[in-house]
Amino acid sequence: MFDTHELGRRPGALQRLSRSVQAPADLGIAEVIGVPEGSPVELELRLESVMEGVLVTGTARARAEGECVRCLEPLHQDVVADFQEMFSYPDTDDRGHRKGAADDDAEDDEDMTPLEDGMFDLEPVLRDAVVLALPLQPVCREDCAGLCPDCGVSLNDDPDHHHDAVDIRWAALQGLAGSLGTGEKDNMSGAEPGVDEKQEK
């Protein structure tokens, strides 16, 4: 929770804050990448008093951990997330700005989070900002070659790795050829000229 009492309610008043907080649980994309619970999140905040409430603009910096989607190796990535949120005064209606507002202004009010006794909770805003800043498909490096689709060996460690391609339509015949003994092959090769001679006659 952050306190806005020092800021006051005079429009135009500014306050800058730098704070390190612990990352909440599940700050990231499940089973893909995220900021570990309890790890530090560095916040740079700018609080500005306006007629309707307090406009909070900030930047969050953290270290995310995950797994490369290509080679499945662990990875670490710095995350920088910018955010902005309006926290409204609970008595805004009494100030003559809300009760007589038009319908579209009323809809805008629904997007504002109310201050509670001059305090605001930044966790929901921080969560949204960090999750949006994380990659949906993290990679350990841009040119990661991934894993061999046939045997799973890392192509980063063995870039020349390959398998001889076999046409599945010939796979049964290849297996049959492999099962023939040497003598059978010789007999077959010896029979072929005779067949050719008969055909020529």
Side-chain angles (χ1 to χ4, degrees), residues 111-152:
D111 296 334
M112 293 193 295
T113 306
L115 289 166
E116 297 180 11
D117 192 26
M119 310 282 286
F120 65 88
D121 182 8
L122 202 58
E123 183 177 325
V125 179
L126 180 63
R127 187 180 299 281
D128 290 345
V130 170
V131 169
L132 287 174
L134 291 170
L136 290 175
Q137 295 187 319
V139 290
C140 57
R141 62 177 198 253
E142 289 300 322
D143 62 344
C144 176
L147 302 176
C148 172
D150 294 318
C151 66

Side-chain angles (χ1 to χ4, degrees), residues 140-189:
C140 57
R141 62 177 198 253
E142 289 300 322
D143 62 344
C144 176
L147 302 176
C148 172
D150 294 318
C151 66
V153 71
S154 173
L155 299 178
N156 295 320
D157 298 334
D158 186 5
D160 296 326
H161 175 82
H162 71 281
H163 295 272
D164 293 330
V166 178
D167 191 327
I168 194 169
R169 296 170 294 182
W170 296 101
L173 289 176
Q174 187 178 21
L176 179 62
S179 67
L180 291 175
T182 307
E184 292 174 325
K185 288 181 181 177
D186 291 342
N187 291 338
M188 289 179 65
S189 62

